[in-house]
Amino acid sequence: MNPVSRSVIPLTLALAAVALTSACTTGTAGPNGSPGAASTAGTGQIPGMPDPGAEPAPGVTAAILFDLGPIVTDTGGFTLYRYDKDTVNPPKSNCTETCSRTWIPAKTGDDLVVTGIDRALIGSVTRDDGTEQVTLAGWPLYRNAKDAMPGNTGGQGVDGVWFPAKPDGTKVLLTADTWQADDLGI
């Protein structure tokens, strides 16, 4: 075989691969399956995944953490807490102004998602600022602004008055295994 033809074959294959790759479209299909324009919606996202910048629908979900057992989270997976200084009967939030910047009231609404929790335990309370906050067994629920990721429980026991809520509305008092450092047991 001619030495020139040995070097031409890989070059030809490489050029063919480039030509085929550039001929493909990355847009959506148009009418009758013809290539369409590339979509600009959700640029930088994985198709079918929610927009990370979008605010999740309000909701409460039962979850189980490795070190705490059953807790309540919002639809984004962030731990929801109850505040021992709130009142249950009637429900009233006593975390206002500066407090509510660290302890963000869990929003409620007509589209409230409830998963794994008795719907009869879910309610709402009107806060002093006029916004509606979700309650569980009468307890207003909050998210800790310092919990950076879903499943974090950095607010557990803060000031002896903040605790993750259990799906029945009671509070998580201690970790199941006190030697565990975080939600992954690491």
Side-chain angles (χ1 to χ4, degrees), residues 62-84:
I64 297 179
L65 289 184
F66 183 71
D67 60 341
L68 296 180
I71 65 161
V72 177
T73 68
D74 64 11
T75 53
F78 287 91
T79 303
L80 292 177
Y81 298 85
R82 51 175 269 186
Y83 182 42
D84 281 352

Side-chain angles (χ1 to χ4, degrees), residues 12-28:
T12 304
L13 290 174
L15 289 174
V18 169
L20 286 173
T21 303
S22 62
C24 295
T25 64
T26 59
T28 58

Side-chain angles (χ1 to χ4, degrees), residues 30-118:
N32 302 321
S34 63
S39 172
T40 58
T43 303
Q45 287 185 274
I46 299 172
M49 296 298 293
D51 180 0
E55 190 170 321
V60 290
T61 301
I64 297 179
L65 289 184
F66 183 71
D67 60 341
L68 296 180
I71 65 161
V72 177
T73 68
D74 64 11
T75 53
F78 287 91
T79 303
L80 292 177
Y81 298 85
R82 51 175 269 186
Y83 182 42
D84 281 352
K85 293 184 179 181
D86 285 343
T87 60
V88 175
N89 196 3
K92 175 153 177 43
S93 171
N94 290 310
C95 176
T96 59
E97 299 176 21
T98 304
C99 174
S100 65
R101 288 188 208 114
T102 300
W103 300 95
I104 304 162
K107 295 179 183 178
T108 190
D110 294 334
D111 57 346
L112 185 72
V113 177
V114 178
T115 308
I117 299 172
D118 182 356

Side-chain angles (χ1 to χ4, degrees), residues 82-172:
R82 51 175 269 186
Y83 182 42
D84 281 352
K85 293 184 179 181
D86 285 343
T87 60
V88 175
N89 196 3
K92 175 153 177 43
S93 171
N94 290 310
C95 176
T96 59
E97 299 176 21
T98 304
C99 174
S100 65
R101 288 188 208 114
T102 300
W103 300 95
I104 304 162
K107 295 179 183 178
T108 190
D110 294 334
D111 57 346
L112 185 72
V113 177
V114 178
T115 308
I117 299 172
D118 182 356
R119 188 84 143 126
L121 295 175
I122 303 299
S124 66
V125 63
T126 303
R127 297 176 50 77
D128 290 344
D129 65 5
T131 60
E132 292 290 315
Q133 181 175 2
V134 68
T135 62
L136 176 59
W139 290 99
L141 297 177
Y142 305 84
R143 185 176 150 203
N144 183 355
K146 295 179 182 178
D147 285 350
M149 295 175 39
N152 285 166
T153 55
Q156 165 69 10
V158 169
D159 296 330
V161 294
W162 290 99
F163 300 94
K166 291 183 181 181
D168 64 359
T170 60
K171 61 185 173 182
V172 173

